[in-house]
Amino acid sequence: MTTFRNPPSHKHLTGYMRVRSRRENWLAVVLLRISRRDLSFCLTALLIFCLGSLLYQLNGGAPKILLDVGYYLGRFSGGHGSLAPRALPFPSQVVYNRVGKCGSRTIVLLLRILADRHQFTLISSDIHNKTRLTKREQENLIRNISTTPQPFLYTRHVHFLNFSRFRMNEPVHINIIRDPINRFLSNYFFRRFGDWRGEENHIVRTPGMKDEERYLDINTCILESYPECSNPRLFYIIPYFCGQHPQCREPGLWALEMAKQNVLDHYLLVGVLEELEDVLLLLERLLPHFFSDVLNIYKSPEYRKSGNMTGTVHKQTPNLEALQVLYQRMEYEYKFYNFVKAQFHLTKRKIGLRTGPQPSRYYSSVLQRKDLQEELEEEETEESLDSTEQT
């Protein structure tokens, strides 16, 4: 059976329409008032949000103004008056275990300027002759580094430190190396005659060195296998990347492979000194909070005036026979150097840099040239002529 309901009376329908009309009028008035009052505010907020998002993506992080706004909003949130921590750049911990005579003085001078400009903590250790540490010393040093106020950059002449071994957060590692023979010669003459700075000359650095050792001919040192010019003294760069294991100090394949693996696993960048400007460009792109504008500083006349004082004085080039002997003794050092150089060039290609090496001598390539003997003979002739003219 179908049931039919009586249609609503005209009186009830009229009341329903009046109520509905009142509700619609009220809603329209509310929406109108809201739009007039807050439309400009909403559009402004949306514009700021869009611009902030755009700057965030372009710069690889939030712009300073948004960080400051977030900081002050967080400061008064919760009603407790506690300060919210400021956002740190990523990465905020960098370790540069600089290799001796590989441009480290140049980089440290730049870092002092950059630390003041970009407001990060720079710790440059004055310990130069203790690169190998006991387990307790490693643990203490790693804990001291890790408690430094962030963002920080720590630098010291020390062999690679494995933070994960002591369950500490892993920092970003960076470094620079150099053609091994070039590094050796720079160190050999620096120990004897220092650099162009007056405050740290050879007398201050090696006061106990006898004259027969100080003025020892470099060819004699190499060809007669003096300890300073033979292994294990020549096995120098690899231990800085191999680490603190005792076997890292023994010239051989194990230390070489461990150093290579650590470069791949732990280092953001290992550059070569012969291409220093490209190294600075990559550091500026990979670590902008620390190295932004570093290349402009490096090229500035003010920096050049102080940076040129760190060059080693009285450097001499060994003869061809001595160079060949050095090259053979540094077999593993050159294998590692060529590996690092290949990785560095790969990183340059990924970033889009296509510049070539800066003017400097690569002994590994020079030794393979047929005209090396003629070049060295020309240099010796020029030096003889210069000394004759001075006389």
Side-chain angles (χ1 to χ4, degrees), residues 265-382:
D265 293 343
H266 299 282
Y267 282 82
L268 177 67
L269 181 70
V270 181
V272 291
L273 186 62
E274 291 80 5
E275 302 174 45
L276 179 57
E277 290 192 7
D278 287 350
V279 175
L280 298 179
L281 273 174
L282 287 181
L283 287 173
E284 186 170 355
R285 296 193 184 185
L286 297 173
L287 297 170
H289 182 79
F290 296 90
F291 289 95
S292 181
D293 207 35
V294 64
L295 190 57
N296 289 332
I297 297 173
Y298 174 72
K299 291 182 176 180
S300 66
E302 295 80 8
Y303 173 80
R304 291 288 189 180
K305 184 177 180 181
S306 59
N308 289 337
M309 300 300 291
T310 61
T312 302
V313 298
H314 302 311
K315 285 179 64 175
Q316 299 175 14
T317 302
N319 60 35
L320 177 60
E321 183 183 3
L323 282 174
Q324 290 174 333
V325 170
L326 268 183
Y327 187 72
Q328 292 171 359
R329 290 174 182 171
M330 292 183 166
E331 174 188 3
Y332 292 110
E333 292 277 277
Y334 270 104
K335 286 183 177 179
F336 181 72
Y337 174 73
N338 291 329
F339 166 79
V340 166
K341 190 165 61 171
Q343 292 295 317
F344 177 67
H345 289 168
L346 177 62
T347 303
K348 286 205 305 183
R349 288 195 296 272
K350 289 180 178 179
I351 296 295
L353 294 180
R354 301 188 181 278
T355 54
Q358 299 161 19
S360 183
R361 167 164 291 179
Y362 283 80
Y363 282 102
S364 55
S365 59
V366 169
L367 283 169
Q368 299 171 4
R369 287 166 44 186
K370 296 180 180 180
D371 59 341
L372 173 63
Q373 185 63 50
E374 296 178 1
E375 179 181 321
L376 293 177
E377 288 176 354
E378 289 177 1
E379 289 183 359
E380 292 175 357
T381 303
E382 291 176 359

Side-chain angles (χ1 to χ4, degrees), residues 44-58:
T44 304
L46 181 62
L47 179 62
I48 293 175
F49 177 80
C50 293
L51 290 176
S53 299
L54 180 62
L55 289 172
Y56 189 99
Q57 296 178 36
L58 291 177

Side-chain angles (χ1 to χ4, degrees), residues 118-144:
H118 301 314
Q119 298 300 303
F120 63 85
T121 303
L122 172 65
I123 299 180
S124 181
S125 176
D126 294 328
I127 302 174
H128 302 293
N129 299 318
K130 190 172 178 57
T131 58
R132 307 164 185 174
L133 310 177
T134 65
K135 184 177 179 180
R136 177 62 60 86
E137 289 172 336
Q138 292 176 55
E139 184 176 9
N140 291 338
L141 178 57
I142 288 174
R143 291 191 181 278
N144 289 337

